Amino acid sequence: MGEIKMYAENLPNIPWQEKPENQVGPVWRYSENPIIGRNPLKGVARIFNSAVVPYEGKFIGVFRAETGNGIPHLYLGRSENGIHWTYDEERIPFVNEKGEPFMPRYAYDPRLIKVEDTYYIIWCTDFYGAALGLAKTKDFKTFTRLDNPFLPFNRNGVLFPRKINGNFTLLSRPSDSGHTPFGDIFISESPDSIYWGKHRHVMTKGTQWWQSLKIGGGAAPIETSEGWLLFYHGVTGTCNGYVYSMGAAILDIDNPSIVKYRSENFILTPEEWYEERGFVANVVFPCATLQDAATGRIAIYYGAADSYVGMAFTTLEEIVAYVKEHHAEIGDDASIGII
Ligand code: BMA
């Protein structure tokens, strides 16, 4: 690896494929995509927009599962190699602080992030409308659901993998009750993961067509010597509906409401059949990465067409160089984001 450093674990066993010879762009797809196909388990028609972490030398994930009646719920899955997954037959059994059942009515687009010794699950829940749900676990047996961090409407909650200046730090995208034809990424802090405040604006939707309607956080930011590397989604509206692409940005390490660099180009956009064809066509929706600090390898997990899970790869050096080379400052992204 070169001069840019990643402050993360060494994970030599993450899924990986070398960059193909004819690759255009800094991110390449796994040749065996999609890694999760239709009807992946009993009673579940589709799994997509899901998040994984390394766990006890293997991998564990929280999966958005569209059940037979069309209601999304969260299921736990395990994998030896990060590619082939087996799932629990029942949904994740969330409980409250007293240990009583505390299940969301629906749950989608989970992120799974380890901060210190605890794994946090953030998802879009029903709180008199779409809002963020939050739960924690240490052992993937007991899942304690916490208070919903924000008022409705809000989606795309993405926690940073460590506290910043002593506080939990969370990206989110305030939205509306429908399919939200607008939206920027904001950041909030909490000393205890219960009370959230110090809200700041991070990134505005772009002027480039692929992110001209709205943007939303994707995978947990990766800590690097250049700043926090964020994979996010950008949406455009066409005469045939929304198109979701993947973008990348680098946020200031101590004050991540400041955008240091942001690529004006998407880094992945729907091109393959499993991205262009499905329950919702033309969706590439990143929710997680696995990375290996020693080699700088990054494996990105993304939902495809609200029907499948795909994987794509890049390296720290490659993606940082690309984002810097194609940097285009938008609005007041470089400010601390309070007016
Ligand atoms: C968003 C979310 C995502 C979904 C996307 C495209 O509003 O609901 O779960 O992937 O729309 O349908």
Side-chain angles (χ1 to χ4, degrees):
M1 217 182 85
E3 285 165 16
I4 308 167
K5 286 195 170 41
M6 184 193 281
Y7 303 110
E9 279 180 83
N10 291 336
L11 286 174
N13 61 338
I14 63 169
W16 180 251
Q17 271 179 343
E18 292 298 335
K19 183 177 178 176
E21 290 282 327
N22 55 355
Q23 173 63 29
V24 178
V27 170
W28 53 98
R29 293 171 176 83
Y30 179 47
S31 59
E32 306 305 309
N33 270 352
I35 62 163
I36 302 175
R38 300 250 184 182
N39 301 303
L41 77 146
K42 205 173 151 207
V44 170
R46 292 169 282 124
I47 280 181
F48 53 102
N49 301 4
S50 299
V52 309
V53 290
Y55 187 66
E56 295 182 339
K58 300 174 188 171
F59 303 96
I60 202 159
V62 173
F63 293 86
R64 171 184 178 157
E66 226 75 357
T67 54
N69 63 5
I71 299 177
H73 289 290
L74 303 183
Y75 283 68
L76 201 65
R78 292 180 178 77
S79 174
E80 299 265 337
N81 60 10
I83 296 170
H84 303 112
W85 293 86
T86 51
Y87 312 95
D88 288 358
E89 284 181 12
E90 303 296 331
R91 329 173 170 158
I92 294 177
F94 293 106
V95 295
N96 64 16
E97 306 268 7
K98 292 186 211 149
E100 300 156 347
F102 186 23
M103 293 297 282
R105 286 195 332 136
Y106 63 68
Y108 61 82
D109 298 355
R111 302 338 192 255
L112 172 62
I113 297 140
K114 188 180 186 195
V115 184
E116 296 167 357
D117 64 349
T118 303
Y119 297 86
Y120 292 85
I121 304 168
I122 307 164
W123 69 92
C124 184
T125 205
D126 180 23
F127 182 32
Y128 301 88
L132 297 181
L134 180 64
K136 62 181 181 180
T137 183
K138 286 193 176 172
D139 55 8
F140 290 98
K141 292 189 181 104
T142 303
F143 297 86
T144 308
R145 194 171 154 203
L146 306 171
D147 260 281
N148 299 327
F150 302 138
L151 299 169
F153 304 97
N154 201 312
R155 291 190 182 88
N156 299 304
V158 178
L159 199 59
F160 284 71
R162 69 163 169 82
K163 291 179 182 169
I164 302 174
N165 304 317
N167 286 333
F168 289 95
T169 306
L170 181 65
L171 299 173
S172 74
R173 209 275 312 288
S175 54
D176 68 9
S177 59
H179 293 295
T180 310
F182 63 90
D184 290 355
I185 299 176
F186 289 71
I187 199 165
S188 309
E189 297 181 25
S190 173
D192 54 9
S193 77
I194 306 291
Y195 295 96
W196 294 88
K198 253 192 142 182
H199 311 292
R200 301 280 184 270
H201 182 270
V202 181
M203 286 167 64
T204 192
K205 64 185 183 165
T207 41
Q208 302 84 15
W209 73 268
W210 65 272
Q211 54 179 347
S212 59
L213 196 71
K214 57 178 170 175
I215 55 173
I222 301 171
E223 186 170 8
T224 81
S225 50
E226 292 287 324
W228 293 102
L229 171 61
L230 174 69
F231 295 102
Y232 67 99
H233 68 258
V235 184
T236 188
T238 72
C239 59
N240 208 19
Y242 290 174
V243 176
Y244 283 67
S245 302
M246 196 189 309
I250 298 171
L251 313 179
D252 185 83
I253 207 77
D254 296 318
N255 194 344
S257 67
I258 296 171
V259 180
K260 284 177 69 181
Y261 307 101
R262 174 175 181 178
S263 168
E264 65 173 339
N265 298 338
F266 56 74
I267 57 164
L268 202 76
T269 199
E271 287 173 0
E272 296 291 336
W273 66 265
Y274 51 88
E275 299 161 351
E276 292 183 333
R277 201 171 78 216
F279 189 75
V280 180
N282 298 315
V283 180
V284 159
F285 197 95
C287 286
T289 61
L290 293 171
Q291 49 275 335
D292 176 35
T295 56
R297 291 172 175 177
I298 301 172
I300 307 167
Y301 289 76
Y302 65 96
D306 288 12
S307 302
Y308 311 98
V309 173
M311 266 180 38
F313 304 107
T314 187
T315 65
L316 180 63
E317 249 183 290
E318 183 117 18
I319 192 69
V320 169
Y322 188 88
V323 171
K324 286 169 88 166
E325 189 183 334
H326 296 277
H327 171 59
E329 195 174 318
I330 302 173
D332 56 2
D333 279 3
S335 81
I336 61 160
I338 187 161
I339 50 177

